[in-house]
Amino acid sequence: MIATARGAAGPRGLISLHFPAQDVAVRAALLKVDAHLRSLGIDDDLCDRTQIALAEACNNIAEHAYAQVYSDDPSITLDIACDRGGIQVTIRDKGGPMPEGQLPGPDLPPLDLDDPYLLPEGGFGWPILRSMARALSLSRCNGQNILRFRLPATDNPAN
Amino acid sequence: MNMSFESRSMLGILTVAENRIDASVAIAFKDRFRDLVAGHDGDVILDLGQVAFIDSSGLGAIVAARKLLGGARKLILAGLTPAVNKVMTLTRMHMVFPIHANTETAVAAQIDTAQAAQ
């Protein structure tokens, strides 16, 4: 893994990580990002939102994108740039394309409060990511998926 | 998965001594939960005070754990840290689980409920 951090000139902090698309490696990468953001003085709430959003995005790649296609290098490249307005995230993988090429919607799975056996155990990932991320976009170029989103400094729907 | 279980009369208190419940430990969490509550008949308080982070896989594992208790018993959550609370609220799971600030208030509330029912 390569991590770089830059000072106050230009972006306040850049971090670039390349790691296997596998849950243990995703955890390790997220912990590195968290330590880096906290070292820059980013507040707890934005650090938490970043962890939550990155976990859902990276787990989705590990669980779905690379499940569809053989790859001799199932990996994720994560680039983060911090500025005064928040955090810009770019995540690249070489897994399969999103079905229909579309990002899943924001709807949570149905909830029946009367029957615990009907409670959903999955389907939370995209709604969670969508609720955190602004300017979410997915593109595909040369066999690579590129997911971009922004985490605003203040979690206000107007952002 | 570092988890421990303590029984206080009819209440089981299950403490997660881990920083994260994420995709890498979701299955281990569910398995350990099942082992720890085996032989316990009452409601269970899940103390998440040491858990700083949970992802959707970890959330799914907690929902699965709740189902292991069956329809007649409750899984009560205690000590939600800010990131865990955020995920619970976003997914509306705060409507599913009784939630308390910490294990002591959860125990007190359960005792009050039991006494009111007598």
Side-chain angles (χ1 to χ4, degrees), chain A residues 90-126:
Chain A
T90 306
I91 304 176
R92 295 180 171 85
D93 70 81
K94 292 179 179 170
M98 188 68 71
E100 327 257 326
Q102 299 273 319
L103 285 171
D107 294 339
L108 284 162
L111 190 59
D112 181 346
L113 293 173
D114 296 326
D115 186 350
Y117 291 106
L118 293 178
L119 290 173
E121 294 178 38
F124 301 117
W126 281 102

Short mmCIF file of all heavy atoms in Angstrom, two decimals, chain A residues 90-126:
data_model
loop_
_atom_site.label_atom_id
_atom_site.label_comp_id
_atom_site.label_asym_id
_atom_site.label_seq_id
_atom_site.Cartn_x
_atom_site.Cartn_y
_atom_site.Cartn_z
N THR A 90 -12.54 8.72 -4.90
CA THR A 90 -12.56 8.02 -6.18
C THR A 90 -12.14 6.57 -5.91
O THR A 90 -11.10 6.33 -5.30
CB THR A 90 -11.59 8.66 -7.19
OG1 THR A 90 -11.89 10.04 -7.32
CG2 THR A 90 -11.71 7.99 -8.56
N ILE A 91 -12.98 5.63 -6.34
CA ILE A 91 -12.70 4.21 -6.11
C ILE A 91 -12.73 3.49 -7.46
O ILE A 91 -13.70 3.58 -8.20
CB ILE A 91 -13.75 3.59 -5.16
CG1 ILE A 91 -13.81 4.35 -3.84
CG2 ILE A 91 -13.42 2.11 -4.90
CD1 ILE A 91 -14.88 3.87 -2.88
N ARG A 92 -11.64 2.79 -7.76
CA ARG A 92 -11.55 2.08 -9.04
C ARG A 92 -11.40 0.59 -8.81
O ARG A 92 -10.70 0.17 -7.89
CB ARG A 92 -10.33 2.57 -9.83
CG ARG A 92 -10.41 4.03 -10.24
CD ARG A 92 -9.16 4.42 -11.03
NE ARG A 92 -9.27 5.74 -11.61
CZ ARG A 92 -8.99 6.87 -10.95
NH1 ARG A 92 -8.57 6.80 -9.71
NH2 ARG A 92 -9.13 8.03 -11.54
N ASP A 93 -12.07 -0.21 -9.66
CA ASP A 93 -11.87 -1.66 -9.62
C ASP A 93 -11.97 -2.21 -11.04
O ASP A 93 -12.47 -1.53 -11.93
CB ASP A 93 -12.91 -2.32 -8.69
CG ASP A 93 -14.31 -2.29 -9.28
OD1 ASP A 93 -14.63 -3.15 -10.13
OD2 ASP A 93 -15.08 -1.38 -8.91
N LYS A 94 -11.49 -3.43 -11.19
CA LYS A 94 -11.53 -4.07 -12.51
C LYS A 94 -12.48 -5.26 -12.52
O LYS A 94 -12.30 -6.22 -13.26
CB LYS A 94 -10.12 -4.50 -12.91
CG LYS A 94 -9.22 -3.31 -13.17
CD LYS A 94 -7.81 -3.73 -13.56
CE LYS A 94 -6.96 -2.51 -13.83
NZ LYS A 94 -5.54 -2.83 -13.98
N GLY A 95 -13.49 -5.20 -11.66
CA GLY A 95 -14.50 -6.25 -11.62
C GLY A 95 -15.54 -6.06 -12.72
O GLY A 95 -15.38 -5.23 -13.60
N GLY A 96 -16.61 -6.85 -12.64
CA GLY A 96 -17.66 -6.78 -13.64
C GLY A 96 -18.43 -5.47 -13.54
O GLY A 96 -18.37 -4.78 -12.52
N PRO A 97 -19.15 -5.13 -14.62
CA PRO A 97 -19.95 -3.90 -14.58
C PRO A 97 -21.17 -4.06 -13.67
O PRO A 97 -21.63 -5.17 -13.42
CB PRO A 97 -20.38 -3.72 -16.04
CG PRO A 97 -20.36 -5.09 -16.63
CD PRO A 97 -19.29 -5.85 -15.90
N MET A 98 -21.67 -2.94 -13.20
CA MET A 98 -22.92 -2.93 -12.43
C MET A 98 -24.04 -3.43 -13.35
O MET A 98 -24.09 -3.05 -14.51
CB MET A 98 -23.19 -1.49 -12.00
CG MET A 98 -24.34 -1.30 -11.05
SD MET A 98 -24.05 -1.97 -9.42
CE MET A 98 -22.83 -0.84 -8.76
N PRO A 99 -24.92 -4.32 -12.87
CA PRO A 99 -26.02 -4.77 -13.73
C PRO A 99 -26.79 -3.57 -14.29
O PRO A 99 -27.07 -2.63 -13.56
CB PRO A 99 -26.91 -5.59 -12.77
CG PRO A 99 -26.00 -6.01 -11.67
CD PRO A 99 -24.96 -4.91 -11.54
N GLU A 100 -27.07 -3.61 -15.60
CA GLU A 100 -27.76 -2.52 -16.32
C GLU A 100 -26.92 -1.25 -16.34
O GLU A 100 -27.40 -0.22 -16.81
CB GLU A 100 -29.13 -2.18 -15.68
CG GLU A 100 -29.86 -3.34 -15.06
CD GLU A 100 -30.99 -3.85 -15.92
OE1 GLU A 100 -31.61 -3.04 -16.60
OE2 GLU A 100 -31.21 -5.07 -15.91
N GLY A 101 -25.71 -1.28 -15.80
CA GLY A 101 -24.87 -0.09 -15.79
C GLY A 101 -25.35 1.01 -14.86
O GLY A 101 -24.83 2.12 -14.87
N GLN A 102 -26.37 0.69 -14.04
CA GLN A 102 -26.99 1.71 -13.19
C GLN A 102 -26.62 1.49 -11.73
O GLN A 102 -26.47 0.35 -11.29
CB GLN A 102 -28.51 1.61 -13.29
CG GLN A 102 -29.07 1.81 -14.67
CD GLN A 102 -29.31 3.26 -14.96
OE1 GLN A 102 -29.78 4.00 -14.11
NE2 GLN A 102 -28.96 3.70 -16.16
N LEU A 103 -26.54 2.57 -10.99
CA LEU A 103 -26.35 2.46 -9.55
C LEU A 103 -27.67 2.07 -8.90
O LEU A 103 -28.72 2.60 -9.29
CB LEU A 103 -25.90 3.79 -8.97
CG LEU A 103 -24.45 4.17 -9.24
CD1 LEU A 103 -24.20 5.60 -8.80
CD2 LEU A 103 -23.51 3.24 -8.49
N PRO A 104 -27.65 1.16 -7.93
CA PRO A 104 -28.89 0.84 -7.22
C PRO A 104 -29.46 2.08 -6.53
O PRO A 104 -28.73 3.02 -6.22
CB PRO A 104 -28.44 -0.19 -6.18
CG PRO A 104 -27.18 -0.79 -6.75
CD PRO A 104 -26.52 0.34 -7.50
N GLY A 105 -30.77 2.06 -6.31
CA GLY A 105 -31.46 3.23 -5.78
C GLY A 105 -31.30 3.40 -4.28
O GLY A 105 -30.60 2.63 -3.62
N PRO A 106 -31.98 4.42 -3.72
CA PRO A 106 -31.82 4.75 -2.31
C PRO A 106 -32.78 4.02 -1.37
O PRO A 106 -32.72 4.22 -0.16
CB PRO A 106 -32.12 6.25 -2.30
CG PRO A 106 -33.12 6.42 -3.40
CD PRO A 106 -32.78 5.40 -4.45
N ASP A 107 -33.68 3.19 -1.94
CA ASP A 107 -34.74 2.64 -1.09
C ASP A 107 -34.23 1.55 -0.16
O ASP A 107 -33.57 0.60 -0.58
CB ASP A 107 -35.87 2.06 -1.95
CG ASP A 107 -36.58 3.15 -2.74
OD1 ASP A 107 -36.48 4.32 -2.32
OD2 ASP A 107 -37.22 2.82 -3.76
N LEU A 108 -34.61 1.68 1.10
CA LEU A 108 -34.28 0.66 2.09
C LEU A 108 -35.17 -0.55 1.88
O LEU A 108 -36.27 -0.43 1.33
CB LEU A 108 -34.52 1.21 3.51
CG LEU A 108 -33.46 2.18 4.03
CD1 LEU A 108 -34.00 2.98 5.21
CD2 LEU A 108 -32.19 1.43 4.44
N PRO A 109 -34.71 -1.75 2.30
CA PRO A 109 -35.58 -2.91 2.20
C PRO A 109 -36.82 -2.72 3.08
O PRO A 109 -36.77 -2.01 4.07
CB PRO A 109 -34.71 -4.06 2.72
CG PRO A 109 -33.59 -3.43 3.46
CD PRO A 109 -33.40 -2.06 2.89
N PRO A 110 -37.96 -3.36 2.69
CA PRO A 110 -39.19 -3.18 3.48
C PRO A 110 -38.99 -3.65 4.92
O PRO A 110 -38.24 -4.59 5.17
CB PRO A 110 -40.21 -4.06 2.76
CG PRO A 110 -39.60 -4.47 1.48
CD PRO A 110 -38.13 -4.27 1.56
N LEU A 111 -39.67 -2.97 5.83
CA LEU A 111 -39.51 -3.27 7.25
C LEU A 111 -40.87 -3.61 7.84
O LEU A 111 -41.78 -2.79 7.81
CB LEU A 111 -38.92 -2.03 7.93
CG LEU A 111 -38.44 -2.15 9.36
CD1 LEU A 111 -37.35 -3.22 9.48
CD2 LEU A 111 -37.89 -0.82 9.84
N ASP A 112 -41.01 -4.83 8.35
CA ASP A 112 -42.23 -5.24 9.04
C ASP A 112 -41.91 -5.36 10.52
O ASP A 112 -41.25 -6.30 10.95
CB ASP A 112 -42.72 -6.59 8.47
CG ASP A 112 -44.01 -7.06 9.12
OD1 ASP A 112 -44.38 -6.50 10.18
OD2 ASP A 112 -44.64 -7.99 8.59
N LEU A 113 -42.38 -4.37 11.29
CA LEU A 113 -42.01 -4.33 12.71
C LEU A 113 -42.73 -5.41 13.52
O LEU A 113 -42.37 -5.65 14.67
CB LEU A 113 -42.33 -2.95 13.29
CG LEU A 113 -41.49 -1.80 12.74
CD1 LEU A 113 -42.01 -0.46 13.25
CD2 LEU A 113 -40.02 -1.96 13.09
N ASP A 114 -43.74 -6.04 12.95
CA ASP A 114 -44.53 -7.00 13.72
C ASP A 114 -43.96 -8.41 13.69
O ASP A 114 -44.32 -9.23 14.52
CB ASP A 114 -45.97 -7.04 13.18
CG ASP A 114 -46.66 -5.71 13.38
OD1 ASP A 114 -46.37 -5.05 14.40
OD2 ASP A 114 -47.46 -5.32 12.51
N ASP A 115 -43.10 -8.69 12.73
CA ASP A 115 -42.58 -10.05 12.63
C ASP A 115 -41.06 -10.04 12.52
O ASP A 115 -40.51 -9.75 11.46
CB ASP A 115 -43.19 -10.75 11.39
CG ASP A 115 -42.78 -12.22 11.32
OD1 ASP A 115 -41.90 -12.63 12.11
OD2 ASP A 115 -43.35 -12.94 10.48
N PRO A 116 -40.37 -10.36 13.63
CA PRO A 116 -38.91 -10.29 13.59
C PRO A 116 -38.28 -11.21 12.53
O PRO A 116 -37.21 -10.92 12.03
CB PRO A 116 -38.49 -10.71 15.00
CG PRO A 116 -39.69 -11.30 15.64
CD PRO A 116 -40.89 -10.74 14.95
N TYR A 117 -38.99 -12.29 12.20
CA TYR A 117 -38.42 -13.21 11.21
C TYR A 117 -38.39 -12.61 9.81
O TYR A 117 -37.68 -13.12 8.94
CB TYR A 117 -39.17 -14.54 11.21
CG TYR A 117 -38.95 -15.32 12.49
CD1 TYR A 117 -39.94 -15.42 13.46
CD2 TYR A 117 -37.71 -15.92 12.75
CE1 TYR A 117 -39.72 -16.08 14.65
CE2 TYR A 117 -37.48 -16.59 13.94
CZ TYR A 117 -38.49 -16.67 14.89
OH TYR A 117 -38.27 -17.33 16.06
N LEU A 118 -39.17 -11.56 9.59
CA LEU A 118 -39.18 -10.91 8.27
C LEU A 118 -38.22 -9.73 8.19
O LEU A 118 -38.13 -9.07 7.16
CB LEU A 118 -40.60 -10.44 7.93
CG LEU A 118 -41.65 -11.53 7.72
CD1 LEU A 118 -43.01 -10.91 7.45
CD2 LEU A 118 -41.25 -12.46 6.58
N LEU A 119 -37.49 -9.47 9.27
CA LEU A 119 -36.57 -8.33 9.24
C LEU A 119 -35.49 -8.56 8.18
O LEU A 119 -34.96 -9.66 8.06
CB LEU A 119 -35.90 -8.15 10.61
CG LEU A 119 -36.79 -7.65 11.74
CD1 LEU A 119 -36.02 -7.68 13.06
CD2 LEU A 119 -37.29 -6.24 11.46
N PRO A 120 -35.16 -7.51 7.43
CA PRO A 120 -34.13 -7.66 6.39
C PRO A 120 -32.73 -7.80 6.99
O PRO A 120 -32.40 -7.12 7.96
CB PRO A 120 -34.25 -6.36 5.59
CG PRO A 120 -34.83 -5.38 6.54
CD PRO A 120 -35.70 -6.15 7.48
N GLU A 121 -31.93 -8.70 6.44
CA GLU A 121 -30.54 -8.85 6.89
C GLU A 121 -29.57 -8.27 5.87
O GLU A 121 -28.36 -8.27 6.07
CB GLU A 121 -30.22 -10.33 7.12
CG GLU A 121 -30.99 -10.92 8.28
CD GLU A 121 -30.72 -12.39 8.50
OE1 GLU A 121 -29.57 -12.82 8.34
OE2 GLU A 121 -31.69 -13.13 8.81
N GLY A 122 -30.09 -7.83 4.73
CA GLY A 122 -29.23 -7.24 3.70
C GLY A 122 -29.99 -6.18 2.94
O GLY A 122 -31.13 -5.84 3.28
N GLY A 123 -29.35 -5.66 1.91
CA GLY A 123 -29.98 -4.62 1.10
C GLY A 123 -29.81 -3.23 1.68
O GLY A 123 -30.42 -2.27 1.22
N PHE A 124 -28.94 -3.09 2.70
CA PHE A 124 -28.73 -1.79 3.34
C PHE A 124 -27.61 -0.99 2.70
O PHE A 124 -27.52 0.22 2.87
CB PHE A 124 -28.36 -1.98 4.81
CG PHE A 124 -29.36 -2.71 5.65
CD1 PHE A 124 -29.07 -3.92 6.24
CD2 PHE A 124 -30.62 -2.15 5.86
CE1 PHE A 124 -29.99 -4.59 7.03
CE2 PHE A 124 -31.56 -2.81 6.64
CZ PHE A 124 -31.24 -4.04 7.22
N GLY A 125 -26.71 -1.68 2.00
CA GLY A 125 -25.46 -1.05 1.56
C GLY A 125 -25.64 0.19 0.71
O GLY A 125 -25.11 1.26 1.04
N TRP A 126 -26.39 0.07 -0.39
CA TRP A 126 -26.55 1.24 -1.27
C TRP A 126 -27.35 2.36 -0.63
O TRP A 126 -26.99 3.53 -0.77
CB TRP A 126 -27.12 0.82 -2.63
CG TRP A 126 -26.04 0.23 -3.47
CD1 TRP A 126 -25.81 -1.09 -3.70
CD2 TRP A 126 -24.98 0.93 -4.13
NE1 TRP A 126 -24.68 -1.25 -4.46
CE2 TRP A 126 -24.16 -0.03 -4.75
CE3 TRP A 126 -24.65 2.29 -4.26
CZ2 TRP A 126 -23.03 0.32 -5.49
CZ3 TRP A 126 -23.53 2.64 -4.99
CH2 TRP A 126 -22.74 1.66 -5.60
#
